[in-house]
Amino acid sequence: MSKNKILIAGNWKMNKTTAEARSLVSEIVAGAGSQTKVDVAVCPPFTALESAAASLKGSSVMLGAQNVYVKDSGAYTGEISASMLKEVGCSCVILGHSERRQYFGESDAFINEKTKVAQAAGLLPIVCVGETLAEREAGKMLEVVSTQTTGALAGVTDAANLVIAYEPVWAIGTGKTATPEMAQEVHAAIRALLVKQFGEAGNKVRILYGGSMNPANASELLDQADIDGGLIGGAALKSASFLELVAIASSKGGCCCCCGK
Ligand code: PGA
């Protein structure tokens, strides 16, 4: 089976001011803004979305947010709706990142609600799942990832507008990457769940790897059968490393040279 089109998405987390975002995005656009071999997305903090959108105009790079609330408007102090994200130019949104689960108590049920709201608004959800070190050491890794995946996707029927990101918590920002084999084992398990839920369409859902992915380890990870891209934290904060990741992904080739997929 041919692989899915690779997606390289940068998760900037709580980094970059408006001005910094403008210059980082300009560098990314200069280096990768017209290629279509792989999909590229940047996900700045809310305050930098507008300046990033302006710098991305006319390029193939997608804009994403790092969170969304489930209501469309109203008395929800501190929250941002899907329609606001659409209006500012977002086409995707990271959901259920482990930092949101850990520091803000997000549950699978809440992430499920957000996934449906994002899809209904025409935003591509990038739904994050992943086990902690304690869970892996207790042999519960597949159980945890399976519960998170099925929980986040309960009642979801639109496989065409869906991305999953497997991010082992112990590999995020630590420099410890899952080996390609460790990652592939979990990606294959997620793939099986997707096929169970969506049938053949489950094979087309991209499953990204995240957790200290960088130019030194990306190639081997992207060679795995069920790894369709990367959700990049630290290495997305500098254009040189992010663009190198895009170049590595592009070198993997797509399905054909004429359609760019
Ligand atoms: P990292 O972060 O690449 O810095 O490990 C990835 C993520 O948390 O999305």
Side-chain angles (χ1 to χ4, degrees):
M1 197 186 71
S2 70
K3 281 203 41 163
N4 294 316
K5 187 173 185 180
I6 293 176
L7 168 61
I8 300 292
N11 174 12
W12 295 8
K13 310 194 179 187
M14 198 172 69
N15 294 294
K16 304 294 177 189
T17 62
T18 297
E20 288 166 349
R22 197 176 292 123
S23 63
L24 178 53
V25 167
S26 302
E27 288 164 21
I28 291 169
V29 167
S34 52
Q35 68 78 40
T36 52
K37 218 161 175 202
V38 296
D39 285 336
V40 178
V42 291
C43 304
F46 289 133
T47 47
L49 286 173
E50 195 168 5
S51 71
S55 304
L56 286 175
K57 234 181 204 123
S59 84
S60 59
V61 178
M62 296 186 285
L63 183 65
Q66 301 170 20
N67 188 22
V68 71
Y69 191 53
V70 294
K71 303 288 185 187
D72 199 51
S73 64
Y76 304 100
T77 303
E79 294 299 322
I80 303 279
S81 73
S83 57
M84 290 169 175
L85 295 181
K86 284 288 285 181
E87 194 212 10
V88 81
C90 289
S91 51
C92 52
V93 60
I94 298 168
L95 297 178
H97 190 279
S98 61
E99 286 147 17
R100 296 219 54 88
R101 294 174 187 263
Q102 184 183 348
Y103 303 128
F104 304 100
E106 291 199 7
S107 66
D108 292 332
F110 193 33
I111 296 159
N112 176 238
E113 233 186 307
K114 292 182 183 206
T115 303
K116 291 174 180 163
V117 164
Q119 285 191 328
L123 289 168
L124 175 70
I126 301 174
V127 178
C128 302
V129 297
E131 82 286 358
T132 62
L133 185 58
E135 288 162 344
R136 176 170 277 262
E137 285 175 349
K140 291 191 173 146
M141 142 196 108
L142 293 179
E143 182 188 324
V144 167
V145 169
S146 159
T147 302
Q148 290 177 344
T149 306
T150 50
L153 299 184
V156 171
T157 53
D158 183 2
N161 294 300
L162 181 65
V163 172
I164 306 293
Y166 168 58
E167 300 203 307
V169 177
W170 48 272
I172 294 177
T174 57
K176 287 185 199 154
T177 331
T179 63
E181 295 73 25
M182 282 158 89
Q184 170 56 26
E185 181 188 3
V186 182
H187 280 237
I190 295 171
R191 177 73 66 211
L193 292 170
L194 293 170
V195 169
K196 190 168 167 207
Q197 178 159 348
F198 301 114
E200 180 51 33
N203 283 317
K204 300 273 172 240
V205 176
R206 287 178 287 192
I207 310 173
L208 313 184
Y209 171 79
S212 298
M213 197 186 213
N214 60 50
N217 58 33
S219 181
E220 267 194 296
L221 285 160
L222 292 172
D223 279 341
Q224 302 302 306
D226 292 296
I227 299 186
D228 304 309
L231 183 56
I232 319 295
L237 296 176
K238 289 205 167 77
S239 60
S241 43
F242 191 67
L243 288 171
E244 213 178 322
L245 284 165
V246 173
I248 291 164
S250 306
S251 75
K252 299 294 166 192
C255 77
C256 80
C257 57
C258 45
C259 71
K261 288 189 177 148

